[in-house]
Amino acid sequence: MTNTTTIPILDGHNDTLLQLHRAKSEGNRSFFAKSETGHIDLPRAREGGLGGGFFAIFTPNKEKKPGRMPGADPAGADTAYEVPLPLPLDQDYAQQFTIAVAADLFRLEAEAEGQVKVVRTASELATYLDQGIFAIIFHIEGAEAIDPDLDTLYVLYQAGLRSLGIVWSRPNAFGHGVPFKFPQSPDIGPGLTDAGRGLVRACNQLGILIDLSHLNEPGFWDVAKYSNAPLVATHSGVYNLCASARNLTDKQLDAIKDSEGIVGVNFHVGFLREDGRLEADTPLTEIVRHINYIVDRIGLDHVALGSDFDGATMPNELGDAAGLPRLMAALRDHGYDEAALRKIAYDNWLRVLQKTWK
Ligand SMILES: [Zn+2]
């Protein structure tokens, strides 16, 4: 029987670039050295069968360093919570920060001497996964760095940008995100702005994947209406299983299916658990529960993984990228065969990216 670690995993979302950027001043974390800190480095990726993924560039607000991702406090008596949204970002600042982190990414690629590559086409991605070259998809989470004339978008595309989240959870010139609130429906706030609709058209023309993960529901329906690409939530869960605004309603899941799109299931415990608690002592099978729900409702072709490694609280049982074989084993225990595991691990992503990218 084939060993599960031979199935390469392409992951829908991580915040590793931000963590590496922050660690630069301390010099205590390298992508190439196995670390106890965070969730992804090349040795742990190799150990866990992680073949690559969407590497987000996220610009934090200047005023405070965000700590762990919100979820209901495990010590709190009440599971309901609301975290105030950070203020909108200044475009110049976001652009400067984005360029600095993108430069880190390209330096990392150069330093890797062929072991790590930024992918620009679906055929490159298939080849790298096959050959064991770690594949990085250049993603931006929240379009604050993009000017309304979209000049920055064209330049970043030429540099390798292939995936863009219109918003993170704070509002910007293009749309409105969902708050970190539990329980809370994603149906909150207005839809895309005129500039947001223009951004959708430009992404379609260029072949940039539009990530819906932090977008509110009115914005989601605007993208469903104006975009001609499959609908994709790179790192979200099922609202019916965990009533977080970051998760997808059944209606949204159905629309993703109709567009031949995909959901990368987020591993953040606060988006998995029925009680929304930020409790790392959460079984790995909570991830399987969300995958099963999506498979039952919209089919095996529309589910994948979207860990949120290096940006969220993982179930202890999983730990970090090196723990991915335990997730694959749990999926196998729940009846997924090799062909099904390949779809979830990378093949569904490949299909969607072949349709989305030029
Ligand atoms: Zn995110």
Side-chain angles (χ1 to χ4, degrees):
M1 190 195 280
T2 320
N3 187 321
T4 45
T5 57
T6 60
I7 298 178
I9 293 169
L10 185 74
D11 178 47
H13 188 90
N14 71 63
D15 288 304
T16 305
L17 292 174
L18 178 63
Q19 302 306 339
L20 290 171
H21 185 75
R22 283 180 171 152
K24 252 165 73 169
S25 50
E26 290 121 49
N28 62 355
R29 194 171 161 188
S30 154
F31 190 68
F32 302 103
K34 187 168 176 173
S35 166
E36 297 288 303
T37 310
H39 303 132
I40 299 180
D41 47 50
L42 195 56
R44 283 184 287 179
R46 297 281 190 230
E47 216 178 306
L50 180 64
F54 290 71
F55 276 57
I57 296 184
F58 166 72
T59 305
N61 286 70
K62 270 190 229 175
E63 58 267 30
K64 75 171 174 87
K65 206 171 141 179
R68 59 186 185 173
M69 193 143 86
D73 185 345
D78 189 353
T79 59
Y81 69 87
E82 180 167 11
V83 179
L85 280 187
L87 294 172
L89 280 189
D90 172 64
Q91 193 233 323
D92 286 347
Y93 169 70
Q95 191 182 94
Q96 226 173 41
F97 190 89
T98 299
I99 297 291
V101 180
D104 289 349
L105 167 62
F106 295 121
R107 286 190 195 103
L108 186 158
E109 185 186 28
E111 210 187 316
E113 296 177 336
Q115 289 188 81
V116 177
K117 287 189 178 173
V118 177
V119 296
R120 291 173 175 80
T121 66
S123 65
E124 275 178 3
L125 178 58
T127 304
Y128 297 165
L129 288 174
D130 186 50
Q131 295 179 351
I133 295 166
F134 191 82
I136 292 187
I137 296 167
F138 175 4
H139 169 78
I140 292 180
E141 182 167 42
E144 283 92 345
I146 314 284
D147 55 284
D149 292 335
L150 308 180
D151 294 348
T152 323
L153 185 77
Y154 285 88
V155 173
L156 288 172
Y157 174 80
Q158 291 301 332
L161 179 72
R162 290 295 179 274
S163 173
L164 174 69
I166 297 177
V167 293
W168 181 64
S169 282
R170 60 193 165 216
N172 65 26
F174 304 100
H176 296 260
V178 287
F180 290 105
K181 193 176 171 192
F182 178 95
Q184 169 63 53
S185 153
D187 189 6
I188 184 171
L192 296 184
T193 63
D194 287 347
R197 290 195 287 275
L199 183 62
V200 169
R201 277 192 296 273
C203 285
N204 282 171
Q205 277 160 12
L206 287 166
I208 296 174
L209 180 143
I210 298 164
D211 176 24
L212 300 163
S213 270
H214 285 259
L215 196 60
N216 64 354
E217 212 182 328
F220 178 102
W221 295 119
D222 280 343
V223 176
K225 187 171 164 188
Y226 296 111
S227 173
N228 58 25
L231 298 175
V232 177
T234 61
H235 58 306
S236 291
V238 174
Y239 183 78
N240 239 356
L241 300 180
C242 169
S244 161
R246 279 280 284 100
N247 286 341
L248 299 156
T249 62
D250 283 352
K251 218 177 137 195
Q252 289 179 297
L253 290 174
D254 295 346
I256 286 171
K257 180 197 179 165
D258 292 345
S259 74
E260 296 176 47
I262 199 171
V263 182
V265 171
N266 196 311
F267 303 170
H268 177 57
V269 293
F271 302 156
L272 291 171
R273 296 170 60 97
E274 203 175 349
D275 62 10
R277 283 176 185 257
L278 191 68
E279 174 58 69
D281 187 15
T282 291
L284 198 56
T285 47
E286 282 293 288
I287 301 171
V288 179
R289 196 168 70 98
H290 284 250
I291 291 172
N292 285 344
Y293 187 98
I294 296 169
V295 171
D296 289 347
R297 178 142 192 123
I298 62 171
L300 181 65
D301 290 343
H302 306 288
V303 70
L305 306 177
S307 69
D308 224 337
F309 278 142
D310 277 316
T313 304
M314 297 295 125
N316 284 336
E317 265 190 80
L318 179 73
D320 56 20
L324 284 168
R326 291 193 284 279
L327 175 59
M328 297 297 268
L331 286 166
R332 178 176 278 124
D333 288 347
H334 281 76
Y336 293 94
D337 62 13
E338 291 301 307
L341 289 177
R342 284 184 185 276
K343 283 195 173 194
I344 296 169
Y346 68 89
D347 222 18
N348 288 336
W349 276 126
L350 269 180
R351 183 199 77 235
V352 165
L353 292 172
Q354 271 158 3
K355 279 200 78 171
T356 306
W357 291 350
K358 300 288 172 189

